[in-house]
Amino acid sequence: MKRTYVYPAILLVLIVVFTLGYCQQQRYVRKVLSENQRLWNENRDLRSSLDQSGAVSQQITNHQEVQQRVAGQFIERRAYYRRNWQQFIAVTAGDYRTGLLGGIKDLSITVNNQTEYALDNVVVKVEYMRNNNEVFKTEEYTISNIPEKGTRSIAASNSRKGSKVNVKLLSITSQPMNFCWSVTKPIPPGNPDPFECVPSAKDNQ
């Protein structure tokens, strides 16, 4: 009779132990899940905060760009472009072919004008160079009537020698912008707007 009660008692004890262990495990799982949820919420809030910071930074950048444009308008638009022309006018060499033993073909020269005024004439120098960067030939080209916010290209001469080219601006003239720049034109000290073709009255600046 004693054995009859012993086995059920042992079974009952095992059931209680397993039940307690299961409950403890469930509490641990819920704790881990709760901690994971808390960390996920923190990460979500952090991402939201970073997005807001990025939006604020972009707004600041946009505001600064607007201020720069407004500053250009206060200076007087033509004067602004004259004083900062290197940010808006550039010359580049297009893709060209080189021969197996040297030589340059299909070379084009492009002037990019991002000002709001047409350019009358742009003079550029093209240097034809060997592999050792030695210049063996130079040519000058005049590119005319470059529209505002536009480009204009011309074909340059082929060369039987050379492996690369280098292009440089020599002069720029624009009557609409009252802009006359030359690489050889001296800049008077203390003149904030030295590239005016015809100096304007101070009160118009």
Side-chain angles (χ1 to χ4, degrees), residues 69 77 81 88 111-119 146-152:
R69 295 192 185 100
R77 188 170 296 171
Y81 282 123
F88 301 98
V111 174
N112 184 6
N113 172 27
Q114 290 304 305
T115 73
E116 298 178 16
Y117 302 92
L119 306 181
I146 301 96
E148 64 274 11
K149 298 290 184 179
T151 62
R152 191 171 298 278

Side-chain angles (χ1 to χ4, degrees), residues 23 60 137 144:
C23 293
I60 292 174
K137 182 176 72 170
S144 303

Side-chain angles (χ1 to χ4, degrees), residues 21 24 49 57 87 96 112 142 168 193 201:
Q24 185 177 4
S49 177
S57 297
Q87 300 177 24
Y96 53 87
N112 184 6
T142 299
K168 297 180 179 180
D193 193 5

Side-chain angles (χ1 to χ4, degrees), residues 115-192:
T115 73
E116 298 178 16
Y117 302 92
L119 306 181
D120 299 312
N121 293 295
V122 174
V123 180
V124 302
K125 178 171 68 174
V126 180
E127 298 176 334
Y128 295 82
M129 308 172 71
R130 295 188 173 93
N131 286 328
N132 60 0
N133 292 327
E134 178 185 352
V135 178
F136 72 90
K137 182 176 72 170
T138 62
E139 292 189 1
E140 292 186 9
Y141 297 92
T142 299
I143 305 173
S144 303
N145 301 321
I146 301 96
E148 64 274 11
K149 298 290 184 179
T151 62
R152 191 171 298 278
S153 300
I154 63 169
S157 299
N158 295 333
S159 173
R160 291 181 297 175
K161 298 180 181 179
S163 59
K164 55 187 175 180
V165 298
N166 185 35
V167 294
K168 297 180 179 180
L169 284 167
L170 295 182
S171 67
I172 306 170
T173 57
S174 170
Q175 291 185 3
M177 202 193 317
N178 191 23
F179 178 50
C180 293
W181 172 85
S182 172
V183 69
T184 59
K185 182 179 181 179
I187 301 177
N191 186 347

Side-chain angles (χ1 to χ4, degrees), residues 1 10 12 16 25 34 42 56 89 109-110 124 163 174 178:
M1 295 297 292
I10 293 174
L12 180 60
V16 171
Q25 185 181 19
S34 177
E42 288 182 356
V56 171
I89 302 172
I109 306 300
T110 300
V124 302
S163 59
S174 170
N178 191 23

